[in-house]
Amino acid sequence: MTAGERESLQAILEEQAAESRRFMQALAEDFSSQVQIVAEGQVMLGEKLDRLGAEVNRHGQQLERLSGEVAWLKVSVGELRTDVSELKQGQAELRADVNELKQGQAELRADVNELKQ
């Protein structure tokens, strides 16, 4: 190989090496920007998960509060049922007493009418 051929080959190799370096730099920059996009996406997902976690905690607290209120309402409804039952019992007793009084009144009227005759 002649000196001119060697120089020509050396120039081609140097040009190819420079082109390879530019290509690798472009690939590295593209890869770096894609990694940056993925990293930013991960940050946004983490923030969204934090917000969702806070919302889930808030809903959990609301459920606990509502659960306590439902338990209180169940007790109150039970007490109201007892009260209504007692009122019905009292009403039945009052009706029986009223019927007794009416019967007694009728007997008294009959007695009064007998005495008048």
Side-chain angles (χ1 to χ4, degrees):
M1 185 179 299
T2 65
E5 290 175 336
R6 231 181 270 147
E7 286 179 18
S8 176
L9 184 59
Q10 182 68 30
I12 292 171
L13 287 174
E14 287 175 8
E15 185 180 321
Q16 286 294 321
E19 188 175 326
S20 291
R21 278 191 295 278
R22 285 191 300 274
F23 179 72
M24 292 303 285
Q25 262 184 332
L27 280 177
E29 287 174 11
D30 184 52
F31 180 75
S32 178
S33 68
Q34 289 179 8
V35 167
Q36 182 65 32
I37 290 169
V38 169
E40 289 170 359
Q42 291 288 29
V43 167
M44 288 189 304
L45 283 173
E47 290 170 350
K48 189 170 186 174
L49 280 173
D50 290 343
R51 285 191 307 271
L52 288 173
E55 189 172 337
V56 166
N57 285 339
R58 187 173 47 83
H59 288 304
Q61 291 170 351
Q62 287 174 340
L63 283 173
E64 285 180 28
R65 183 180 52 82
L66 289 173
S67 177
E69 289 176 6
V70 166
W72 178 83
L73 286 172
K74 284 181 179 180
V75 168
S76 295
V77 166
E79 291 172 353
L80 286 172
R81 284 184 176 159
T82 301
D83 291 348
V84 167
S85 178
E86 289 173 0
L87 286 172
K88 286 180 179 178
Q89 174 94 21
Q91 182 183 27
E93 291 172 3
L94 284 173
R95 282 186 180 160
D97 290 347
V98 166
N99 286 335
E100 248 181 73
L101 287 173
K102 284 181 181 179
Q103 187 177 0
Q105 183 183 22
E107 290 173 2
L108 282 174
R109 280 191 183 155
D111 289 347
V112 167
N113 284 337
E114 274 184 35
L115 290 174
K116 283 184 181 178
Q117 293 178 1

mmCIF file of all heavy atoms in Angstrom, residues 41-87:
data_model
loop_
_atom_site.group_PDB
_atom_site.id
_atom_site.type_symbol
_atom_site.label_atom_id
_atom_site.label_comp_id
_atom_site.label_asym_id
_atom_site.label_seq_id
_atom_site.Cartn_x
_atom_site.Cartn_y
_atom_site.Cartn_z
ATOM 1 N N GLY A 41 -42.133 11.418 34.501
ATOM 2 C CA GLY A 41 -43.379 10.659 34.614
ATOM 3 C C GLY A 41 -43.470 9.944 35.953
ATOM 4 O O GLY A 41 -44.545 9.896 36.566
ATOM 5 N N GLN A 42 -42.360 9.395 36.405
ATOM 6 C CA GLN A 42 -42.336 8.709 37.703
ATOM 7 C C GLN A 42 -42.630 9.691 38.837
ATOM 8 O O GLN A 42 -43.343 9.371 39.783
ATOM 9 C CB GLN A 42 -40.984 8.023 37.940
ATOM 10 C CG GLN A 42 -40.722 6.842 37.045
ATOM 11 C CD GLN A 42 -41.583 5.645 37.415
ATOM 12 O OE1 GLN A 42 -42.675 5.759 37.931
ATOM 13 N NE2 GLN A 42 -41.077 4.466 37.130
ATOM 14 N N VAL A 43 -42.070 10.883 38.738
ATOM 15 C CA VAL A 43 -42.317 11.912 39.761
ATOM 16 C C VAL A 43 -43.797 12.273 39.782
ATOM 17 O O VAL A 43 -44.426 12.347 40.840
ATOM 18 C CB VAL A 43 -41.439 13.176 39.519
ATOM 19 C CG1 VAL A 43 -41.902 14.346 40.371
ATOM 20 C CG2 VAL A 43 -39.976 12.848 39.790
ATOM 21 N N MET A 44 -44.373 12.481 38.576
ATOM 22 C CA MET A 44 -45.798 12.832 38.502
ATOM 23 C C MET A 44 -46.663 11.695 39.042
ATOM 24 O O MET A 44 -47.637 11.934 39.758
ATOM 25 C CB MET A 44 -46.195 13.160 37.062
ATOM 26 C CG MET A 44 -45.638 14.493 36.591
ATOM 27 S SD MET A 44 -46.279 15.070 34.986
ATOM 28 C CE MET A 44 -45.885 13.714 33.906
ATOM 29 N N LEU A 45 -46.302 10.452 38.715
ATOM 30 C CA LEU A 45 -47.056 9.312 39.239
ATOM 31 C C LEU A 45 -46.946 9.238 40.759
ATOM 32 O O LEU A 45 -47.925 8.959 41.452
ATOM 33 C CB LEU A 45 -46.564 8.006 38.619
ATOM 34 C CG LEU A 45 -47.022 7.730 37.194
ATOM 35 C CD1 LEU A 45 -46.324 6.479 36.653
ATOM 36 C CD2 LEU A 45 -48.523 7.565 37.122
ATOM 37 N N GLY A 46 -45.751 9.494 41.277
ATOM 38 C CA GLY A 46 -45.564 9.496 42.732
ATOM 39 C C GLY A 46 -46.418 10.556 43.399
ATOM 40 O O GLY A 46 -47.054 10.294 44.430
ATOM 41 N N GLU A 47 -46.457 11.748 42.800
ATOM 42 C CA GLU A 47 -47.284 12.826 43.359
ATOM 43 C C GLU A 47 -48.760 12.452 43.304
ATOM 44 O O GLU A 47 -49.513 12.697 44.244
ATOM 45 C CB GLU A 47 -47.030 14.129 42.596
ATOM 46 C CG GLU A 47 -45.651 14.710 42.848
ATOM 47 C CD GLU A 47 -45.306 15.863 41.911
ATOM 48 O OE1 GLU A 47 -46.060 16.101 40.931
ATOM 49 O OE2 GLU A 47 -44.275 16.507 42.143
ATOM 50 N N LYS A 48 -49.165 11.854 42.183
ATOM 51 C CA LYS A 48 -50.563 11.449 42.044
ATOM 52 C C LYS A 48 -50.907 10.367 43.069
ATOM 53 O O LYS A 48 -51.977 10.394 43.683
ATOM 54 C CB LYS A 48 -50.833 10.941 40.632
ATOM 55 C CG LYS A 48 -52.294 10.704 40.349
ATOM 56 C CD LYS A 48 -52.544 10.430 38.883
ATOM 57 C CE LYS A 48 -54.032 10.346 38.619
ATOM 58 N NZ LYS A 48 -54.332 10.216 37.198
ATOM 59 N N LEU A 49 -49.989 9.428 43.270
ATOM 60 C CA LEU A 49 -50.218 8.390 44.282
ATOM 61 C C LEU A 49 -50.325 8.995 45.674
ATOM 62 O O LEU A 49 -51.151 8.564 46.478
ATOM 63 C CB LEU A 49 -49.096 7.349 44.250
ATOM 64 C CG LEU A 49 -49.202 6.298 43.153
ATOM 65 C CD1 LEU A 49 -47.947 5.428 43.130
ATOM 66 C CD2 LEU A 49 -50.432 5.445 43.339
ATOM 67 N N ASP A 50 -49.502 9.999 45.952
ATOM 68 C CA ASP A 50 -49.584 10.677 47.250
ATOM 69 C C ASP A 50 -50.948 11.336 47.428
ATOM 70 O O ASP A 50 -51.562 11.232 48.495
ATOM 71 C CB ASP A 50 -48.474 11.730 47.384
ATOM 72 C CG ASP A 50 -47.092 11.109 47.524
ATOM 73 O OD1 ASP A 50 -47.003 9.903 47.831
ATOM 74 O OD2 ASP A 50 -46.099 11.847 47.309
ATOM 75 N N ARG A 51 -51.417 12.018 46.364
ATOM 76 C CA ARG A 51 -52.737 12.664 46.446
ATOM 77 C C ARG A 51 -53.830 11.622 46.633
ATOM 78 O O ARG A 51 -54.738 11.798 47.449
ATOM 79 C CB ARG A 51 -53.000 13.492 45.183
ATOM 80 C CG ARG A 51 -52.239 14.792 45.124
ATOM 81 C CD ARG A 51 -52.731 15.689 43.998
ATOM 82 N NE ARG A 51 -52.772 15.062 42.697
ATOM 83 C CZ ARG A 51 -51.771 15.021 41.815
ATOM 84 N NH1 ARG A 51 -50.632 15.605 42.123
ATOM 85 N NH2 ARG A 51 -51.909 14.440 40.651
ATOM 86 N N LEU A 52 -53.743 10.529 45.869
ATOM 87 C CA LEU A 52 -54.751 9.478 45.991
ATOM 88 C C LEU A 52 -54.706 8.837 47.378
ATOM 89 O O LEU A 52 -55.746 8.525 47.960
ATOM 90 C CB LEU A 52 -54.557 8.417 44.907
ATOM 91 C CG LEU A 52 -54.936 8.844 43.488
ATOM 92 C CD1 LEU A 52 -54.535 7.770 42.490
ATOM 93 C CD2 LEU A 52 -56.411 9.144 43.380
ATOM 94 N N GLY A 53 -53.502 8.637 47.903
ATOM 95 C CA GLY A 53 -53.364 8.076 49.247
ATOM 96 C C GLY A 53 -53.998 8.975 50.286
ATOM 97 O O GLY A 53 -54.700 8.504 51.194
ATOM 98 N N ALA A 54 -53.782 10.285 50.147
ATOM 99 C CA ALA A 54 -54.389 11.235 51.085
ATOM 100 C C ALA A 54 -55.908 11.198 50.963
ATOM 101 O O ALA A 54 -56.626 11.240 51.965
ATOM 102 C CB ALA A 54 -53.865 12.649 50.809
ATOM 103 N N GLU A 55 -56.394 11.084 49.725
ATOM 104 C CA GLU A 55 -57.844 11.023 49.522
ATOM 105 C C GLU A 55 -58.421 9.740 50.113
ATOM 106 O O GLU A 55 -59.478 9.760 50.742
ATOM 107 C CB GLU A 55 -58.158 11.109 48.025
ATOM 108 C CG GLU A 55 -59.623 11.269 47.725
ATOM 109 C CD GLU A 55 -59.898 11.542 46.251
ATOM 110 O OE1 GLU A 55 -58.989 12.023 45.557
ATOM 111 O OE2 GLU A 55 -61.023 11.267 45.827
ATOM 112 N N VAL A 56 -57.724 8.633 49.928
ATOM 113 C CA VAL A 56 -58.181 7.362 50.503
ATOM 114 C C VAL A 56 -58.205 7.466 52.027
ATOM 115 O O VAL A 56 -59.154 7.007 52.674
ATOM 116 C CB VAL A 56 -57.283 6.191 50.035
ATOM 117 C CG1 VAL A 56 -57.502 4.948 50.869
ATOM 118 C CG2 VAL A 56 -57.528 5.893 48.557
ATOM 119 N N ASN A 57 -57.183 8.070 52.613
ATOM 120 C CA ASN A 57 -57.159 8.255 54.075
ATOM 121 C C ASN A 57 -58.335 9.112 54.529
ATOM 122 O O ASN A 57 -58.980 8.806 55.541
ATOM 123 C CB ASN A 57 -55.841 8.896 54.510
ATOM 124 C CG ASN A 57 -54.690 7.924 54.469
ATOM 125 O OD1 ASN A 57 -54.883 6.714 54.495
ATOM 126 N ND2 ASN A 57 -53.484 8.442 54.377
ATOM 127 N N ARG A 58 -58.605 10.186 53.771
ATOM 128 C CA ARG A 58 -59.724 11.068 54.126
ATOM 129 C C ARG A 58 -61.041 10.299 54.049
ATOM 130 O O ARG A 58 -61.880 10.385 54.940
ATOM 131 C CB ARG A 58 -59.746 12.273 53.191
ATOM 132 C CG ARG A 58 -60.761 13.328 53.561
ATOM 133 C CD ARG A 58 -60.625 14.594 52.708
ATOM 134 N NE ARG A 58 -60.509 14.349 51.294
ATOM 135 C CZ ARG A 58 -61.553 14.129 50.466
ATOM 136 N NH1 ARG A 58 -62.771 14.128 50.944
ATOM 137 N NH2 ARG A 58 -61.358 13.920 49.181
ATOM 138 N N HIS A 59 -61.194 9.505 52.985
ATOM 139 C CA HIS A 59 -62.419 8.711 52.859
ATOM 140 C C HIS A 59 -62.511 7.660 53.977
ATOM 141 O O HIS A 59 -63.607 7.384 54.480
ATOM 142 C CB HIS A 59 -62.491 8.025 51.491
ATOM 143 C CG HIS A 59 -62.778 8.966 50.359
ATOM 144 N ND1 HIS A 59 -63.875 9.790 50.319
ATOM 145 C CD2 HIS A 59 -62.096 9.216 49.218
ATOM 146 C CE1 HIS A 59 -63.864 10.494 49.211
ATOM 147 N NE2 HIS A 59 -62.787 10.172 48.523
ATOM 148 N N GLY A 60 -61.376 7.095 54.353
ATOM 149 C CA GLY A 60 -61.367 6.131 55.455
ATOM 150 C C GLY A 60 -61.833 6.767 56.753
ATOM 151 O O GLY A 60 -62.605 6.175 57.508
ATOM 152 N N GLN A 61 -61.364 7.989 57.004
ATOM 153 C CA GLN A 61 -61.794 8.706 58.207
ATOM 154 C C GLN A 61 -63.286 9.009 58.159
ATOM 155 O O GLN A 61 -63.995 8.883 59.164
ATOM 156 C CB GLN A 61 -60.993 10.003 58.364
ATOM 157 C CG GLN A 61 -59.541 9.768 58.708
ATOM 158 C CD GLN A 61 -58.705 11.040 58.630
ATOM 159 O OE1 GLN A 61 -59.163 12.075 58.154
ATOM 160 N NE2 GLN A 61 -57.461 10.956 59.087
ATOM 161 N N GLN A 62 -63.767 9.394 56.974
ATOM 162 C CA GLN A 62 -65.193 9.661 56.823
ATOM 163 C C GLN A 62 -65.998 8.387 57.066
ATOM 164 O O GLN A 62 -67.053 8.424 57.711
ATOM 165 C CB GLN A 62 -65.509 10.212 55.429
ATOM 166 C CG GLN A 62 -65.045 11.642 55.225
ATOM 167 C CD GLN A 62 -65.248 12.109 53.791
ATOM 168 O OE1 GLN A 62 -65.391 11.313 52.874
ATOM 169 N NE2 GLN A 62 -65.241 13.418 53.606
ATOM 170 N N LEU A 63 -65.503 7.260 56.544
ATOM 171 C CA LEU A 63 -66.199 5.994 56.759
ATOM 172 C C LEU A 63 -66.236 5.621 58.233
ATOM 173 O O LEU A 63 -67.254 5.133 58.732
ATOM 174 C CB LEU A 63 -65.539 4.877 55.949
ATOM 175 C CG LEU A 63 -65.850 4.862 54.463
ATOM 176 C CD1 LEU A 63 -64.999 3.808 53.755
ATOM 177 C CD2 LEU A 63 -67.324 4.614 54.214
ATOM 178 N N GLU A 64 -65.133 5.843 58.934
ATOM 179 C CA GLU A 64 -65.112 5.561 60.371
ATOM 180 C C GLU A 64 -66.132 6.417 61.109
ATOM 181 O O GLU A 64 -66.870 5.927 61.965
ATOM 182 C CB GLU A 64 -63.709 5.825 60.940
ATOM 183 C CG GLU A 64 -62.692 4.761 60.585
ATOM 184 C CD GLU A 64 -61.322 5.058 61.169
ATOM 185 O OE1 GLU A 64 -61.240 5.722 62.213
ATOM 186 O OE2 GLU A 64 -60.331 4.617 60.553
ATOM 187 N N ARG A 65 -66.188 7.712 60.749
ATOM 188 C CA ARG A 65 -67.143 8.618 61.377
ATOM 189 C C ARG A 65 -68.577 8.176 61.066
ATOM 190 O O ARG A 65 -69.424 8.084 61.957
ATOM 191 C CB ARG A 65 -66.916 10.044 60.890
ATOM 192 C CG ARG A 65 -67.824 11.070 61.548
ATOM 193 C CD ARG A 65 -67.569 12.489 61.039
ATOM 194 N NE ARG A 65 -67.599 12.611 59.601
ATOM 195 C CZ ARG A 65 -68.715 12.724 58.862
ATOM 196 N NH1 ARG A 65 -69.891 12.725 59.443
ATOM 197 N NH2 ARG A 65 -68.649 12.839 57.555
ATOM 198 N N LEU A 66 -68.822 7.858 59.798
ATOM 199 C CA LEU A 66 -70.163 7.415 59.410
ATOM 200 C C LEU A 66 -70.526 6.095 60.071
ATOM 201 O O LEU A 66 -71.677 5.890 60.461
ATOM 202 C CB LEU A 66 -70.256 7.284 57.885
ATOM 203 C CG LEU A 66 -70.253 8.600 57.113
ATOM 204 C CD1 LEU A 66 -70.174 8.332 55.618
ATOM 205 C CD2 LEU A 66 -71.459 9.442 57.451
ATOM 206 N N SER A 67 -69.552 5.233 60.224
ATOM 207 C CA SER A 67 -69.803 3.953 60.885
ATOM 208 C C SER A 67 -70.238 4.187 62.333
ATOM 209 O O SER A 67 -71.167 3.539 62.827
ATOM 210 C CB SER A 67 -68.546 3.087 60.839
ATOM 211 O OG SER A 67 -68.738 1.883 61.511
ATOM 212 N N GLY A 68 -69.577 5.116 62.991
ATOM 213 C CA GLY A 68 -69.968 5.468 64.366
ATOM 214 C C GLY A 68 -71.367 6.055 64.408
ATOM 215 O O GLY A 68 -72.156 5.723 65.302
ATOM 216 N N GLU A 69 -71.671 6.895 63.430
ATOM 217 C CA GLU A 69 -73.008 7.494 63.394
ATOM 218 C C GLU A 69 -74.073 6.433 63.115
ATOM 219 O O GLU A 69 -75.155 6.470 63.703
ATOM 220 C CB GLU A 69 -73.058 8.598 62.333
ATOM 221 C CG GLU A 69 -72.260 9.832 62.726
ATOM 222 C CD GLU A 69 -72.214 10.894 61.643
ATOM 223 O OE1 GLU A 69 -72.900 10.749 60.610
ATOM 224 O OE2 GLU A 69 -71.482 11.883 61.830
ATOM 225 N N VAL A 70 -73.769 5.484 62.243
ATOM 226 C CA VAL A 70 -74.723 4.409 61.951
ATOM 227 C C VAL A 70 -74.947 3.558 63.197
ATOM 228 O O VAL A 70 -76.086 3.189 63.514
ATOM 229 C CB VAL A 70 -74.233 3.547 60.760
ATOM 230 C CG1 VAL A 70 -75.006 2.249 60.661
ATOM 231 C CG2 VAL A 70 -74.338 4.328 59.458
ATOM 232 N N ALA A 71 -73.880 3.278 63.920
ATOM 233 C CA ALA A 71 -74.029 2.496 65.159
ATOM 234 C C ALA A 71 -74.908 3.252 66.149
ATOM 235 O O ALA A 71 -75.788 2.657 66.786
ATOM 236 C CB ALA A 71 -72.653 2.213 65.762
ATOM 237 N N TRP A 72 -74.689 4.562 66.278
ATOM 238 C CA TRP A 72 -75.503 5.381 67.173
ATOM 239 C C TRP A 72 -76.959 5.360 66.721
ATOM 240 O O TRP A 72 -77.878 5.244 67.535
ATOM 241 C CB TRP A 72 -74.963 6.807 67.205
ATOM 242 C CG TRP A 72 -75.777 7.715 68.077
ATOM 243 C CD1 TRP A 72 -75.690 7.853 69.431
ATOM 244 C CD2 TRP A 72 -76.825 8.590 67.653
ATOM 245 N NE1 TRP A 72 -76.610 8.767 69.873
ATOM 246 C CE2 TRP A 72 -77.329 9.237 68.792
ATOM 247 C CE3 TRP A 72 -77.371 8.889 66.417
ATOM 248 C CZ2 TRP A 72 -78.355 10.168 68.731
ATOM 249 C CZ3 TRP A 72 -78.395 9.820 66.361
ATOM 250 C CH2 TRP A 72 -78.875 10.441 67.511
ATOM 251 N N LEU A 73 -77.173 5.461 65.391
ATOM 252 C CA LEU A 73 -78.540 5.433 64.866
ATOM 253 C C LEU A 73 -79.217 4.093 65.141
ATOM 254 O O LEU A 73 -80.409 4.047 65.464
ATOM 255 C CB LEU A 73 -78.543 5.716 63.363
ATOM 256 C CG LEU A 73 -78.281 7.173 62.964
ATOM 257 C CD1 LEU A 73 -78.109 7.282 61.455
ATOM 258 C CD2 LEU A 73 -79.391 8.080 63.448
ATOM 259 N N LYS A 74 -78.456 3.008 65.026
ATOM 260 C CA LYS A 74 -79.027 1.686 65.317
ATOM 261 C C LYS A 74 -79.481 1.612 66.773
ATOM 262 O O LYS A 74 -80.561 1.093 67.072
ATOM 263 C CB LYS A 74 -78.010 0.587 65.020
ATOM 264 C CG LYS A 74 -77.833 0.296 63.548
ATOM 265 C CD LYS A 74 -76.833 -0.823 63.335
ATOM 266 C CE LYS A 74 -76.669 -1.143 61.865
ATOM 267 N NZ LYS A 74 -75.699 -2.219 61.639
ATOM 268 N N VAL A 75 -78.650 2.132 67.672
ATOM 269 C CA VAL A 75 -79.019 2.141 69.091
ATOM 270 C C VAL A 75 -80.261 3.003 69.293
ATOM 271 O O VAL A 75 -81.203 2.608 69.988
ATOM 272 C CB VAL A 75 -77.837 2.654 69.955
ATOM 273 C CG1 VAL A 75 -78.288 2.938 71.374
ATOM 274 C CG2 VAL A 75 -76.694 1.645 69.938
ATOM 275 N N SER A 76 -80.273 4.165 68.644
ATOM 276 C CA SER A 76 -81.418 5.072 68.781
ATOM 277 C C SER A 76 -82.688 4.436 68.243
ATOM 278 O O SER A 76 -83.761 4.555 68.860
ATOM 279 C CB SER A 76 -81.145 6.380 68.035
ATOM 280 O OG SER A 76 -80.072 7.061 68.635
ATOM 281 N N VAL A 77 -82.592 3.769 67.103
ATOM 282 C CA VAL A 77 -83.760 3.097 66.532
ATOM 283 C C VAL A 77 -84.231 1.996 67.480
ATOM 284 O O VAL A 77 -85.434 1.828 67.706
ATOM 285 C CB VAL A 77 -83.447 2.534 65.129
ATOM 286 C CG1 VAL A 77 -84.515 1.557 64.668
ATOM 287 C CG2 VAL A 77 -83.303 3.670 64.122
ATOM 288 N N GLY A 78 -83.306 1.269 68.067
ATOM 289 C CA GLY A 78 -83.669 0.240 69.043
ATOM 290 C C GLY A 78 -84.401 0.840 70.229
ATOM 291 O O GLY A 78 -85.410 0.290 70.698
ATOM 292 N N GLU A 79 -83.900 1.977 70.720
ATOM 293 C CA GLU A 79 -84.550 2.647 71.845
ATOM 294 C C GLU A 79 -85.938 3.143 71.449
ATOM 295 O O GLU A 79 -86.891 3.031 72.223
ATOM 296 C CB GLU A 79 -83.692 3.810 72.336
ATOM 297 C CG GLU A 79 -82.402 3.369 73.010
ATOM 298 C CD GLU A 79 -81.460 4.525 73.324
ATOM 299 O OE1 GLU A 79 -81.737 5.666 72.900
ATOM 300 O OE2 GLU A 79 -80.443 4.275 73.992
ATOM 301 N N LEU A 80 -86.049 3.677 70.228
ATOM 302 C CA LEU A 80 -87.349 4.150 69.751
ATOM 303 C C LEU A 80 -88.339 2.994 69.630
ATOM 304 O O LEU A 80 -89.517 3.138 69.992
ATOM 305 C CB LEU A 80 -87.202 4.855 68.405
ATOM 306 C CG LEU A 80 -86.578 6.247 68.447
ATOM 307 C CD1 LEU A 80 -86.319 6.754 67.039
ATOM 308 C CD2 LEU A 80 -87.467 7.226 69.198
ATOM 309 N N ARG A 81 -87.875 1.860 69.161
ATOM 310 C CA ARG A 81 -88.754 0.690 69.056
ATOM 311 C C ARG A 81 -89.246 0.266 70.440
ATOM 312 O O ARG A 81 -90.411 -0.074 70.613
ATOM 313 C CB ARG A 81 -88.016 -0.462 68.369
ATOM 314 C CG ARG A 81 -87.891 -0.270 66.890
ATOM 315 C CD ARG A 81 -87.243 -1.444 66.220
ATOM 316 N NE ARG A 81 -87.231 -1.228 64.768
ATOM 317 C CZ ARG A 81 -86.428 -1.832 63.946
ATOM 318 N NH1 ARG A 81 -85.556 -2.712 64.394
ATOM 319 N NH2 ARG A 81 -86.490 -1.586 62.656
ATOM 320 N N THR A 82 -88.322 0.295 71.397
ATOM 321 C CA THR A 82 -88.703 -0.044 72.769
ATOM 322 C C THR A 82 -89.745 0.952 73.280
ATOM 323 O O THR A 82 -90.760 0.560 73.871
ATOM 324 C CB THR A 82 -87.467 -0.040 73.687
ATOM 325 O OG1 THR A 82 -86.522 -0.999 73.199
ATOM 326 C CG2 THR A 82 -87.821 -0.355 75.117
ATOM 327 N N ASP A 83 -89.488 2.244 73.030
ATOM 328 C CA ASP A 83 -90.437 3.276 73.469
ATOM 329 C C ASP A 83 -91.801 3.084 72.819
ATOM 330 O O ASP A 83 -92.837 3.178 73.497
ATOM 331 C CB ASP A 83 -89.902 4.674 73.145
ATOM 332 C CG ASP A 83 -88.685 5.057 73.978
ATOM 333 O OD1 ASP A 83 -88.387 4.347 74.961
ATOM 334 O OD2 ASP A 83 -88.031 6.066 73.640
ATOM 335 N N VAL A 84 -91.823 2.812 71.522
ATOM 336 C CA VAL A 84 -93.089 2.607 70.813
ATOM 337 C C VAL A 84 -93.809 1.384 71.374
ATOM 338 O O VAL A 84 -95.023 1.404 71.595
ATOM 339 C CB VAL A 84 -92.854 2.480 69.290
ATOM 340 C CG1 VAL A 84 -94.093 1.952 68.573
ATOM 341 C CG2 VAL A 84 -92.430 3.820 68.707
ATOM 342 N N SER A 85 -93.056 0.333 71.636
ATOM 343 C CA SER A 85 -93.659 -0.880 72.200
ATOM 344 C C SER A 85 -94.275 -0.577 73.568
ATOM 345 O O SER A 85 -95.390 -1.011 73.864
ATOM 346 C CB SER A 85 -92.590 -1.968 72.315
ATOM 347 O OG SER A 85 -93.119 -3.123 72.883
ATOM 348 N N GLU A 86 -93.530 0.184 74.372
ATOM 349 C CA GLU A 86 -94.045 0.549 75.698
ATOM 350 C C GLU A 86 -95.284 1.436 75.572
ATOM 351 O O GLU A 86 -96.242 1.292 76.341
ATOM 352 C CB GLU A 86 -92.962 1.260 76.510
ATOM 353 C CG GLU A 86 -91.844 0.339 76.964
ATOM 354 C CD GLU A 86 -90.688 1.092 77.630
ATOM 355 O OE1 GLU A 86 -90.760 2.341 77.741
ATOM 356 O OE2 GLU A 86 -89.718 0.422 78.030
ATOM 357 N N LEU A 87 -95.276 2.341 74.597
ATOM 358 C CA LEU A 87 -96.439 3.199 74.379
ATOM 359 C C LEU A 87 -97.654 2.389 73.940
ATOM 360 O O LEU A 87 -98.776 2.631 74.396
ATOM 361 C CB LEU A 87 -96.124 4.274 73.334
ATOM 362 C CG LEU A 87 -95.224 5.414 73.808
ATOM 363 C CD1 LEU A 87 -94.827 6.302 72.636
ATOM 364 C CD2 LEU A 87 -95.896 6.237 74.886
#
